[in-house]
């Protein structure tokens, strides 16, 4: 029921638990909550909503960032936090060292969604199920709220070993096809798996291939071992961070 999460509240409840001597387990924070905390901490005029980077031109004093609407922003540095398909990496202004490192398909398609099903295996806990080809993982996402009548919500994730073409097709497929794919790969599984999917809003489900990227060399010695990649110039004013630099699968415990 509490939609007023803040960094202060998250940290104070963590320290209260520590004072009470409770064991602290994973702190899970939905990314929308993190985003709201960040948004509240900076002046709104710093953000340009709906702006897409098209290209950039770097010189010795700064970077001209060219947006798709034709606007040009002069910046001291450019930090590309623009995800796995980073436009900064692909821009014609990007030097070879920034582009270095191909995306690698991890051999797995991932489907994920939310279920409102109430079940002992989902209440305040989650479960893993594996069958050698597919893996199901659930975790609590949102507590029930009597005030608003909102039911408890859990997130589920199914990863399935398939070839890249099938995984890519899933990303653009109608959600009814994603549902069929999920049902096929969990057929005959234990309760409450099938019931979870009946209580899932499939229009909110996400599906697609998982990738990571070969790590570029970080030293001259490293660069010798990776001659197909370029060592980053320390003088560049352009850098990529997050998934734009190193996308990770969500199930290797690598964290984002
Ligand atoms: C199914 C799934 C589940 C995951 N679960 C977890 C999890 O439980 N915990 C965890 O820690 N990590 C998880 N991850 C990984 C995590 O989501 C990513 O590592 C993280 O979102 C990367 O953040 P980012 O800011 O680098 O990129 P993104 O979150 O991809 O954000 C990139 C942003 O850049 C914008 N953008 C793209 N191109 C341009 C452009 N040309 N101009 C302007 N803007 C642009 C996009 O619109 C987007 O807003 C999961 C990933 C997947 C696929």
């Amino acid at each position: 029921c509490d939609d007023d999460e803040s960094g202060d509240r998250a940290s104070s409840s963590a320290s209260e638990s520590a004072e009470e001597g409770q064991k602290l387990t994973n702190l899970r924070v939905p990314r929308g909550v993190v985003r709201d905390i960040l948004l509240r901490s900076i002046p709104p005029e710093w953000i340009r909503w709906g702006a897409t980077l098209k290209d950039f031109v770097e010189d010795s004093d700064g970077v001209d960032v060219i947006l798709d609407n034709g606007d040009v922003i002069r910046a001291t540095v450019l930090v590309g936090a623009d995800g796995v398909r980073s436009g900064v990496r692909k821009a014609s202004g990007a030097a070879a060292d920034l582009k270095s490192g191909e995306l690698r398909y991890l051999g797995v398609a991932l489907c994920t969604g939310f279920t409102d099903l109430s079940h002992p295996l989902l209440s305040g806990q989650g479960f893993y199920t594996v069958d050698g080809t597919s893996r199901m993982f659930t975790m609590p996402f949102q507590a029930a709220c009597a005030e608003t009548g909102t039911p408890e919500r859990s997130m589920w994730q199914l990863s399935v070993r398939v070839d890249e073409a099938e995984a890519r097709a899933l990303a653009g497929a109608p959600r009814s096809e994603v549902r069929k794919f999920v049902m096929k790969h969990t057929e005959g599984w234990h309760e409450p798996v099938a019931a979870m999917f009946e209580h899932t809003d499939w229009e909110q489900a996400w599906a697609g291939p998982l990738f990571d990227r070969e790590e570029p060399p970080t030293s001259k010695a490293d660069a010798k071992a990776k001659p197909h990649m370029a060592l980053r110039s320390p003088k560049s004013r352009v850098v990529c961070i997050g998934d734009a630099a190193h996308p990770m699968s969500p199930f290797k415990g690598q964290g984002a």
Side-chain angles (χ1 to χ4, degrees):
C1 294
D2 184 0
D3 59 358
D4 186 30
E5 292 93 342
S6 69
D8 287 350
R9 183 162 309 184
S11 58
S12 70
S13 59
S15 53
E16 278 160 22
S17 301
E19 279 162 21
E20 288 161 15
Q22 290 173 5
K23 188 169 169 266
L24 290 175
T25 54
N26 280 349
L27 177 64
R28 296 183 182 124
V29 187
R31 59 190 289 169
V33 173
V34 176
R35 195 176 86 146
D36 287 346
I37 292 170
L38 293 174
L39 279 176
R40 281 199 293 266
S41 66
I42 55 173
E45 63 273 17
W46 285 14
I47 302 173
R48 281 205 195 194
W49 294 106
T52 301
L53 175 139
K54 192 174 159 205
D55 206 349
F56 66 86
V57 180
E58 182 182 0
D59 57 49
S60 55
D61 297 323
V63 187
D64 282 332
V65 179
I66 303 157
L67 303 183
D68 65 348
N69 66 1
D71 284 1
V72 178
I73 302 169
R74 181 69 177 168
T76 310
V77 294
L78 170 62
V79 179
D82 52 349
V84 65
R85 309 213 173 273
S86 169
V88 172
R89 284 183 86 106
K90 285 188 280 197
S92 63
D97 60 345
L98 189 65
K99 292 178 191 261
S100 229
E102 294 298 317
L103 280 179
R104 289 185 300 207
Y105 175 58
L106 292 173
V108 170
L110 191 132
C111 308
T112 184
F114 297 102
T115 181
D116 291 343
L117 181 72
S118 176
H119 186 277
L121 279 183
L122 299 171
S123 284
Q125 60 181 336
F127 65 86
Y128 275 88
T129 300
V130 289
D131 73 356
T133 305
S134 308
R135 178 215 65 150
M136 167 69 76
F137 152 63
T138 75
M139 71 175 196
F141 187 76
Q142 205 170 52
C145 175
E147 217 173 276
T148 58
T150 318
E152 187 176 32
R153 277 195 126 188
S154 295
M155 188 203 74
W156 57 262
Q157 257 183 29
L158 178 76
S159 37
V160 184
R161 238 185 272 158
V162 291
D163 66 33
E164 186 171 350
E166 188 175 357
R168 281 185 185 273
L170 214 48
R175 299 301 90 172
S176 54
E177 290 301 312
V178 174
R179 181 180 186 155
K180 269 191 218 158
F181 176 89
V182 168
M183 302 299 278
K184 182 177 117 189
H185 287 281
T186 55
E187 200 180 347
W189 281 22
H190 62 88
E191 285 182 22
V193 173
M196 273 167 34
F197 301 142
E198 278 165 30
H199 288 78
T200 289
D201 175 359
W202 286 89
E203 288 311 310
Q204 284 189 20
W206 184 95
L210 291 182
F211 296 98
D212 69 3
R213 199 185 280 280
E214 189 178 1
E215 191 186 341
T218 51
S219 66
K220 283 184 182 164
D222 199 16
K224 277 191 188 157
K226 295 175 179 170
H228 56 294
M229 299 175 87
L231 187 61
R232 286 257 41 214
S233 161
K235 292 190 181 148
S236 176
R237 291 175 174 273
V238 183
V239 69
C240 284
I241 61 169
D243 275 13
H246 47 77
M248 294 158 291
S249 78
F251 50 71
K252 284 188 190 161
Q254 292 172 318

